[in-house]
Amino acid sequence: MDRTFILTAELDPASFAWLDGLRREHFPPERNLLPAHLTLFHRLSTPQTGCLDDVAVPAAPIPIRYDDVRILGFGVAIGIRSPELERLRAALRSAIGGEFSRQEGQSWRPHATIQNKGDCCRCVGAS
């Protein structure tokens, strides 16, 4: 079986604590297998991960803005906006090349999922 990898951006400690707290509060515990994260790519092959070294990673943190709450069908996410992060992801995508998953073919809308396959009303109505 071929291994696949998820590539995420590292969150600053305060953002991570805030988002992970929301995730632990609202995500169904039996499905909450990962801490809060910001996915850049959902499914990379081993050869694709070998291309990551070809991209210069910024020396300083990239500023991001939390700009909205998104309803994801059966989930809720906090939307993230960052032109710098979008440029980095585009550079990574170009360097990685190869076949991308169907999910990667859709437009990228960066977000941190705080509830998935749960009772959305509980999260949306929370204060």
Side-chain angles (χ1 to χ4, degrees):
M1 176 182 282
D2 291 336
R3 293 177 63 184
T4 59
F5 299 88
I6 298 170
L7 181 63
T8 63
E10 183 177 1
L11 296 166
D12 65 273
S15 293
F16 174 79
W18 174 61
L19 292 167
D20 199 53
L22 288 171
R23 189 175 171 97
R24 280 185 274 113
E25 182 178 349
H26 298 290
F27 215 96
E30 67 280 1
R31 297 190 48 81
N32 194 10
L33 306 176
L34 299 171
H37 57 280
L38 169 54
T39 302
L40 296 173
F41 293 94
H42 294 89
R43 188 178 204 145
L44 296 177
S45 67
T46 300
Q48 286 175 314
T49 62
C51 300
L52 295 173
D53 292 335
D54 297 338
V55 178
V57 176
I62 294 175
I64 62 174
R65 188 176 90 214
Y66 301 101
D67 66 347
D68 62 0
V69 175
R70 297 182 188 162
I71 305 301
L72 305 172
F74 292 101
V76 178
I78 303 296
I80 295 171
R81 184 170 305 226
S82 172
E84 294 93 338
L85 187 60
E86 290 178 24
R87 285 191 289 275
L88 175 60
R89 186 179 183 278
L92 288 165
R93 185 179 174 96
S94 179
I96 291 168
E99 297 281 325
F100 287 94
S101 71
R102 187 174 49 140
Q103 193 169 14
E104 303 319 344
Q106 300 171 2
S107 64
W108 186 58
R109 298 183 62 215
H111 63 276
T113 304
I114 59 170
Q115 183 188 58
N116 195 8
K117 296 179 179 64
D119 179 7
C120 286
C121 296
R122 184 178 140 230
C123 183
V124 174
S127 54

